[in-house]
Amino acid sequence: MDYGAFTDASLKMMYEAVRGALKADDEFEAAGEDPRFRVRATPEWKRHAGSLEAEMLKRGLQVDIIDWTGGQGELPLA
């Protein structure tokens, strides 16, 4: 996909769509359901998000990077 062809707003919208699908999957799993979008299980989602991040950073846009760990990489507070 030619990410350079998209407008800044389009890049941000696509990135937020990835974030939304990931959040929805996490909520489905928390409710004991199968994730509908399979964002964590499908490597293409992460590659897509990474390409969007790279293009936004190249343009100097502020990016709130997606946390792919789902909190699993966080240390407990002492």
Side-chain angles (χ1 to χ4, degrees):
M1 187 178 298
D2 181 9
Y3 292 93
F6 291 100
T7 64
D8 293 356
S10 295
L11 293 170
K12 290 177 183 179
M13 184 276 309
M14 287 189 285
Y15 195 70
E16 288 307 313
V18 174
R19 186 188 311 281
L22 182 60
K23 181 180 178 195
D25 275 355
D26 289 347
E27 290 171 357
F28 286 123
E29 286 191 290
E33 299 177 36
D34 289 334
R36 293 190 182 165
F37 303 105
R38 298 177 32 100
V39 176
R40 289 189 198 281
T42 309
E44 286 76 10
W45 276 101
K46 199 167 190 177
R47 278 195 286 275
H48 176 55
S51 295
L52 290 165
E53 289 169 2
E55 183 63 29
M56 288 189 289
L57 290 171
K58 179 176 145 186
R59 295 182 188 193
L61 302 174
Q62 185 170 347
V63 181
D64 181 18
I65 302 297
I66 293 173
D67 176 12
W68 292 95
T69 67
Q72 294 175 6
E74 297 176 6
L75 295 173
L77 297 175

